[in-house]
Amino acid sequence: MKEIVLQTQSHSQKLRAAVFEQGDLMDVFEEEGASSHLVGNIYRGRVENVLPGMQAAFVDIGLDKNAFLYVGDAVPSRFEEDEKVDQAAHVRIEHVLKPRQELLVQVIKEPVGTKGARISVNLTLPGRYVVLLPQVSYIGVSRKIQDNNERTRLRDLADLAKPEGMGVIIRTLAEGIDGDEIAEDIAQLVEIWNALQPKIPHVSVPGLVHKDVDLVSRLVRDWIDQDVEKITVDQDEVALILRKALKEIEHPAAKQIFVVTGEDLFARYGVDDEIRKTLRSKVWLKSGGYLVIQQTEALIVIDVNTGKYVGQRSLEETVVHTNLEAAREIARQLRLRNLGGIIIIDFIDMTSTEDQQKVIEALETACARDKTKSQVLGLTQLGLVEMTRKKVGQTLAIRYTSPCPTCDGSGRV
């Protein structure tokens, strides 16, 4: 069962959403004011600096910091056999861009710390079932849809519905959806794109051309899948918006929206307490074992320990039980903390290859429920598990904490 709790704070224009799966908190989202969410926004920008040594450019799009444009994102996308081709090996940034050049770009990564937003010239418009690629003729299907017959069916439906010269990527939510709904989703996105065209020349440089939808609409588009059975909100107006949106897509959760007014929903559901726990480096497992999660500039390191858990029959059984529980909790912590990049996990040593494979498979299964792309690469020669998770937005720590001015964030005196 999946449940979503949406809390609004009208005095601060802040929206907060929490996603629960089987009673466990998995994701937390916030949006404060109109400018807090940038990914998906389209801007007219001006190139400020071209850096051949970095094969990148800095572009003024009207934000506090100039946005970063990597050479691979500075040229139109090219696809071969369902794979996006990295353009960086074939193109040099100084041959593509020059200072003061004007560009139409889209934010693909939020600014983090001292780094500005990352942008691309390859524009996309996400819908519920597809992502429209208005500048390239291509059809792709989410890798999470593994049934070959279903992939072929969806590809054929998209081919019939998409305009000539445009492309689409079929999202995971489209699995099992009929052709009319997919065609309608594509048509709505094409309509948005066509409406933007006459607007673009009249937007000042730098300036905002198109803003992605608000948090409530993004929840409907990206997070309310068929597993969502209950939604709790604290305002009648929000409930009306959600009911209308979910009725339009015939989602059963439209009848399972509950309003609880005059109460702090995040306190009631223990969300803030769970966030405080998550901000610590040590995470206790239900068995008595624990994880230690530490983030560095280069990668994230996770250590697994038996802690208070002593098992019952044998050391091997104790180790495997702890590692299996840790694998499931690691996947949850990565989502909740929104950690991305290279991740190294030091599970408790296992002598049996069969046990090692069992733990890796448990980690893969738990990560498969994550909407953010991740990949478990297996064991290194030192017995460490390597994996990656795509960096999307700011981590929970950046959103809720700041470095200590006394110890400069080291945490030691």
Side-chain angles (χ1 to χ4, degrees):
M1 175 185 172
K2 186 183 287 188
E3 180 179 358
I4 292 178
V5 176
L6 185 60
Q7 177 175 284
T8 56
Q9 296 174 346
S10 55
H11 63 279
S12 63
Q13 292 187 315
K14 187 171 185 178
L15 289 170
R16 304 178 75 196
V19 180
F20 292 85
E21 291 181 7
Q22 310 302 327
D24 293 326
L25 181 65
M26 303 300 290
D27 298 281
V28 178
F29 309 99
E30 299 94 4
E31 187 165 289
E32 189 164 4
S35 60
S36 61
H37 176 77
L38 299 176
V39 170
N41 291 359
I42 299 174
Y43 296 85
R44 289 190 74 190
R46 181 182 293 112
V47 178
E48 293 293 314
N49 308 95
V50 178
L51 307 173
M54 293 178 63
Q55 282 302 290
F58 287 100
V59 181
D60 182 7
I61 59 174
L63 303 179
D64 293 338
K65 294 189 178 86
N66 288 339
F68 181 80
L69 180 59
Y70 175 62
V71 63
D73 299 313
V75 290
S77 289
R78 198 162 52 82
F79 296 89
E80 289 180 3
E81 297 181 359
D82 232 14
E83 292 285 342
K84 184 177 178 181
V85 177
D86 186 1
Q87 307 283 53
H90 311 288
V91 180
R92 292 195 60 81
I93 194 76
E94 62 269 32
H95 298 157
V96 179
L97 301 176
K98 59 181 184 294
R100 309 299 296 171
Q101 182 177 341
E102 295 180 2
L103 297 171
L104 189 65
V105 296
Q106 185 171 40
V107 175
I108 57 175
K109 283 187 180 178
E110 299 275 358
V112 178
T114 59
K115 297 179 181 178
R118 183 166 170 177
I119 56 175
S120 173
V121 301
N122 297 296
L123 309 183
T124 62
L125 291 175
R128 179 168 173 81
Y129 302 119
V130 305
V131 176
L132 182 71
L133 310 175
Q135 301 162 308
V136 58
S137 182
Y138 165 75
I139 300 175
V141 181
S142 167
R143 290 183 181 178
K144 291 191 175 182
I145 300 176
Q146 297 181 340
D147 183 89
N148 288 329
N149 291 332
E150 178 66 0
R151 293 177 66 87
T152 301
R153 183 187 76 89
L154 291 170
R155 194 184 294 273
D156 291 343
L157 290 174
D159 194 28
L160 288 171
K162 78 175 186 69
E164 188 71 28
M166 291 190 184
V168 294
I169 296 173
I170 308 291
R171 304 184 68 185
T172 309
L173 280 173
E175 189 168 11
I177 298 300
D178 64 42
D180 290 341
E181 290 183 85
I182 290 173
E184 184 180 346
D185 204 29
I186 293 173
Q188 289 175 350
L189 296 173
V190 171
E191 187 178 339
I192 293 171
W193 175 251
N194 289 338
L196 286 179
Q197 300 310 296
K199 177 184 175 182
I200 293 171
H202 301 289
V203 174
S204 59
V205 182
L208 178 66
V209 173
H210 169 74
K211 180 166 179 56
D212 194 22
V213 295
D214 60 25
L215 178 58
V216 176
S217 300
R218 288 202 310 278
L219 282 173
V220 174
R221 185 185 72 193
D222 300 334
W223 287 93
I224 301 182
D225 54 22
Q226 296 306 313
D227 294 331
V228 174
E229 297 181 11
K230 182 180 177 183
I231 302 171
T232 304
V233 301
D234 62 357
Q235 286 193 10
D236 291 316
E237 307 92 274
V238 176
L240 286 172
I241 294 169
L242 282 171
R243 286 193 188 103
K244 181 181 177 182
L246 292 175
K247 281 178 182 176
E248 287 177 356
I249 59 175
E250 299 180 353
H251 196 293
K255 298 179 180 178
Q256 297 297 318
I257 298 174
F258 300 91
V259 182
V260 180
T261 58
E263 190 173 349
D264 186 332
L265 290 183
F266 270 40
R268 175 179 177 175
Y269 278 80
V271 176
D272 288 330
D273 288 340
E274 191 66 33
I275 288 173
R276 289 188 190 96
K277 291 179 186 176
T278 305
L279 293 173
R280 301 171 188 159
S281 60
K282 181 180 282 190
V283 179
W284 285 99
L285 304 174
K286 291 177 182 178
S287 66
Y290 66 90
L291 312 175
V292 176
I293 303 175
Q294 295 181 326
Q295 184 175 11
T296 70
E297 283 291 320
L299 45 78
I300 293 134
V301 183
I302 303 174
D303 187 33
V304 181
N305 298 276
T306 54
K308 303 172 186 176
Y309 181 58
V310 295
Q312 291 180 333
R313 288 190 292 187
S314 68
L315 175 61
E316 290 80 6
E317 184 187 72
T318 302
V319 167
V320 173
H321 181 277
T322 306
N323 282 341
L324 288 172
E325 186 183 9
R328 293 186 287 269
E329 183 62 24
I330 285 168
R332 186 178 88 94
Q333 290 291 326
L334 292 177
R335 284 177 61 178
L336 189 51
R337 296 169 186 245
N338 198 24
L339 297 175
I342 300 170
I343 301 157
I344 303 295
I345 306 168
D346 185 10
F347 284 105
I348 305 166
D349 288 343
M350 296 170 285
T351 55
S352 165
T353 304
E354 183 181 344
D355 288 342
Q356 292 173 350
Q357 189 58 36
K358 190 186 298 183
V359 170
I360 290 173
E361 287 175 0
L363 181 62
E364 289 174 334
T365 301
C367 289
R369 295 194 293 270
D370 189 352
K371 291 183 183 293
T372 299
K373 182 181 177 182
S374 61
Q375 184 178 10
V376 179
L377 302 172
L379 287 166
T380 69
Q381 290 182 327
L382 293 174
L384 306 172
V385 172
E386 287 181 312
M387 67 172 290
T388 62
R389 185 175 185 269
K390 185 178 179 181
K391 291 183 178 180
V392 180
Q394 296 180 334
T395 65
L396 200 71
I398 288 176
R399 278 146 51 190
Y400 282 94
T401 66
S402 57
C404 170
T406 302
C407 68
D408 198 23
S410 71
R412 299 181 67 86
V413 175

